[in-house]
Amino acid sequence: MKTLSLGTALGVPLALSFASAAMAEVGVSPTVWSVRTDTLEYRMGAEENSFAWGVEAWIGNDELRLVWKSEGAKTEGGDFEEMNNQIRLQMPITEFFDGFIGGAASTPDGAPDRYYGTIGVTGLAPQWFEVEAALYLSNHPYLNAEVEYEGLLTNRLILTPSIEVSLPLADDPEREIAAGGASAAFGLRLSYDLIGRSVSPYIGVNYERAFGETADIRRGHGHDIEELTGVFGVNVMF
């Protein structure tokens, strides 16, 4: 039986409080919605291929948004090696940054499920770097940070480097994770805005690696600690 963690239990009431405070200011702006992908791609590796996605959908206004995020990867003909879903409430805290709070679930095949309460910030740093940082609270807490930059080579051709780092704050031996043993993903993708920003096919590379004791555990179990893949895909936004 799956049980909700302490982090999720804390996250839900905090999210409701967060919503109540924001909803007090009603009628400020119209309700709109959007769906976009950050990744929707096929990955070609030395040993196996996979399909990966990163989708974000939201509904709300300038003062408050309800956001659903889904990220994952499925090996070709195999399991969901990654499956992460998150629901959160998001509201502006500065001119360029939003704060958010909510709950998240990590439910890949072949590993125990994990549920979290989450709190963090997301927005644009100076020089237009897209930044997101969050703390995931549960019996297996961790910090996660992402940075992405869209470099315009032309009005339609865009080079996007990205980095994502996860730092576990507690051991999780069932998932081959040690406290302080970070994992990171580095990406470099070249996209072309075929129909405005609504349809943008792209190619690129993705590199993932584990570090520290997490890498030692995986190496000891005969698993790879790094993976380099070539990718091609298409991002959509509407």
Side-chain angles (χ1 to χ4, degrees), residues 9 12 20 26 43 86 97 119-120 124 160 174 205 213 215 217 221:
V12 172
S20 298
V26 296
R43 296 179 175 175
Q86 182 178 149
F97 275 88
I119 184 170
L124 287 174
T160 306
E174 292 179 292
V205 294
E213 291 188 25
I217 293 172
H221 291 170

Side-chain angles (χ1 to χ4, degrees), residues 35-40 53-56 202 234-238:
V35 178
R36 73 167 191 173
T37 64
D38 292 322
T39 54
L40 190 62
W53 71 91
V55 180
E56 177 179 314
Y202 64 89
V234 59
N235 279 326
V236 296
M237 180 172 64
F238 53 89

Side-chain angles (χ1 to χ4, degrees), residues 109-228:
D109 291 331
D113 297 344
R114 297 288 183 255
Y115 299 92
Y116 307 90
T118 181
I119 184 170
V121 295
T122 183
L124 287 174
Q127 306 304 318
W128 305 110
F129 285 90
E130 293 186 20
V131 177
E132 180 168 310
L135 172 62
Y136 291 81
L137 300 167
S138 75
N139 295 330
H140 307 284
Y142 71 96
L143 293 167
N144 190 81
E146 303 176 39
V147 180
E148 184 177 292
Y149 180 77
E150 292 188 347
L152 297 178
L153 303 181
T154 70
N155 287 337
R156 291 177 177 268
L157 197 61
I158 300 172
L159 185 64
T160 306
S162 63
I163 180 173
E164 179 176 1
V165 178
S166 292
L167 179 65
L169 303 178
D171 294 336
D172 189 354
E174 292 179 292
R175 286 199 168 193
E176 300 181 331
I177 291 174
S183 59
F186 305 89
L188 185 64
R189 291 168 175 81
L190 180 66
S191 63
Y192 182 80
D193 289 345
L194 190 63
I195 306 174
R197 301 303 300 271
S198 298
V199 180
S200 303
Y202 64 89
I203 59 173
V205 294
N206 189 74
Y207 176 70
E208 299 179 358
R209 195 184 194 287
F211 298 90
E213 291 188 25
T214 296
D216 294 340
I217 293 172
R218 294 183 184 180
R219 191 183 291 109
H221 291 170
H223 297 157
D224 294 332
I225 65 167
E226 62 182 353
E227 182 181 26
L228 175 65

Side-chain angles (χ1 to χ4, degrees), residues 64-85:
L64 181 65
R65 292 178 178 181
L66 177 64
V67 180
W68 169 66
K69 294 187 71 174
S70 178
E71 299 176 341
K74 184 182 185 303
T75 57
E76 186 174 10
D79 296 332
F80 287 93
E81 58 182 11
E82 297 177 35
M83 176 66 82
N84 303 308
N85 286 281

